[in-house]
Amino acid sequence: MAYIAIIPAAGLGRRMGYNKNKVFIELNKKSIIERTVEKFQNDVNCEGIYLAIREDEAEMLRKKLSGYDKVHGVFIGGKERQDSIYNVLQKIPQCDHVFIHDGARPFITKELLDDIYDNVKMHKAVICGVKVKDTVKKVSGTRVVETLPREELFITHTPQAFDYELIMHAHENARINTLSVTDDSSMVEALGENVHIVESSYNNIKITTREDLVIAESIINREGEDK
Ligand SMILES: Nc1ccn([C@@H]2O[C@H](COP(=O)(O)OP(=O)(O)OP(=O)(O)O)[C@@H](O)[C@H]2O)c(=O)n1
Ligand SMILES: C[C@](O)(CO)[C@H](O)COP(=O)(O)O
């Protein structure tokens, strides 16, 4: 048993406000996307890595990743993240488990990959996240509607791992029902299936805005290059 990794990297990086896709930004002389891919390249349980990228960046990405022999495919993404993942799902070979991980989250650890892998062998859908540290309010306009119970709340990260048949079905169902969501777990939840969560790390940030670049540099400086 092993898993296949799908890495969506076909975004525009609008919130970063950079003149190209943020996954090509270099942190300490190595691009974000290479940092992400190498975590899966180094994981013995990963048997293949498939990426989504924008058409005009596909050649550049293929060249950049030519040294990573587990990269078996670089495909063109879609308008939204879920479209990009769906496009790649159509292309991967049948397998036991699929890990879906944002190209813009380079700080996943081997410990987290192992934890998710152990769990997805028991459950069909496993995600990861961190406990909420602040008090979260539901708001309508400027009016606070409700204070949500913090002990029940997690901030969701990736990887999210699924049984192959289940995630295929979940994506097909989302398309048929024009369900628009921000993570893959939501599509599985929409089928009424159980999704389990394991604890991620606060370092497993998605590099989204410029402030995240400063945090990313500090994680690299603090933890060194082997983490
Ligand atoms: N149509 C899309 C949109 C996003 N992504 C990928 O999904 C991940 C998470 O998305 P996000 O952080 O939102 O990235 P962007 O869409 O690039 O950023 P923004 O929303 O600020 O434009 C990123 O690795 C991004 O490249 C993708 O493959 N296809
Ligand atoms: C999947 C995700 O990273 C979980 O936090 C997140 O929902 C992606 O959202 P984005 O708006 O595409 O960045």
Side-chain angles (χ1 to χ4, degrees):
M1 260 210 285
Y3 72 82
I4 277 179
I6 293 182
I7 302 181
L12 284 167
R14 282 191 204 90
R15 287 171 286 182
M16 182 59 72
Y18 184 57
N19 60 3
K20 59 182 176 188
N21 184 344
K22 66 186 179 186
V23 300
F24 293 108
I25 294 174
E26 296 202 344
L27 300 170
N28 200 14
K29 300 195 182 127
K30 196 185 286 179
S31 67
I32 291 170
I33 193 64
E34 284 172 276
R35 288 177 177 277
T36 302
V37 165
E38 77 180 9
K39 297 293 169 57
F40 289 94
Q41 171 75 30
N42 294 338
D43 185 5
V44 286
N45 298 314
C46 176
E47 66 180 21
I49 305 167
Y50 295 79
L51 295 103
I53 192 72
R54 282 166 40 201
E55 197 162 9
D56 56 333
E57 294 171 339
E59 243 356 270
M60 177 168 52
L61 185 66
R62 285 191 188 107
K63 274 197 198 121
K64 207 174 251 310
L65 299 181
S66 60
Y68 298 88
D69 65 0
K70 285 189 187 172
V71 173
H72 295 169
V74 173
F75 301 109
I76 309 307
K79 188 164 174 286
E80 305 296 337
R81 181 183 181 278
Q82 76 184 79
D83 303 317
S84 295
I85 293 164
Y86 181 74
N87 288 353
V88 180
L89 269 174
Q90 304 305 298
K91 313 276 187 343
I92 63 171
Q94 191 149 7
C95 57
D96 293 315
H97 302 110
V98 179
F99 276 45
I100 299 173
H101 182 70
D102 295 323
R105 264 187 217 277
F107 298 119
I108 20 146
T109 60
K110 174 70 176 138
E111 291 72 27
L112 180 59
L113 289 171
D114 285 349
D115 197 9
I116 294 173
Y117 188 55
D118 289 343
N119 275 278
V120 79
K121 285 186 269 182
M122 294 182 283
H123 311 290
K124 287 183 166 187
V126 177
I127 65 170
C128 61
V130 287
K131 288 181 178 155
V132 169
K133 292 185 195 173
D134 299 303
T135 301
V136 182
K137 311 267 185 195
K138 192 171 171 193
V139 170
S140 170
T142 56
R143 192 177 70 83
V144 173
V145 176
E146 194 186 345
T147 302
L148 301 172
R150 186 163 67 183
E151 58 289 354
E152 292 177 15
L153 298 175
F154 274 81
I155 304 282
T156 308
H157 289 169
T158 66
Q160 299 191 348
F162 309 94
D163 172 84
Y164 170 81
E165 306 286 348
L166 175 62
I167 195 62
M168 290 296 277
H169 178 41
H171 268 266
E172 298 285 0
N173 179 65
R175 289 183 92 76
I176 290 164
N177 294 299
T178 55
L179 191 67
S180 172
V181 292
T182 53
D183 76 346
D184 301 275
S185 168
S186 301
M187 292 179 234
V188 173
E189 293 159 44
L191 294 175
E193 293 282 342
N194 286 332
V195 175
H196 292 263
I197 190 159
V198 301
E199 275 208 53
S200 179
S201 148
Y202 290 98
N203 280 352
N204 184 17
I205 58 166
K206 179 160 70 63
I207 299 178
T208 307
T209 59
R210 285 182 182 249
E211 300 79 65
D212 296 327
L213 295 175
V214 178
I215 298 168
E217 298 279 4
S218 98
I219 292 170
I220 292 167
N221 290 338
R222 204 171 59 226
E223 308 219 329
E225 285 291 357
D226 292 326
K227 294 268 166 163

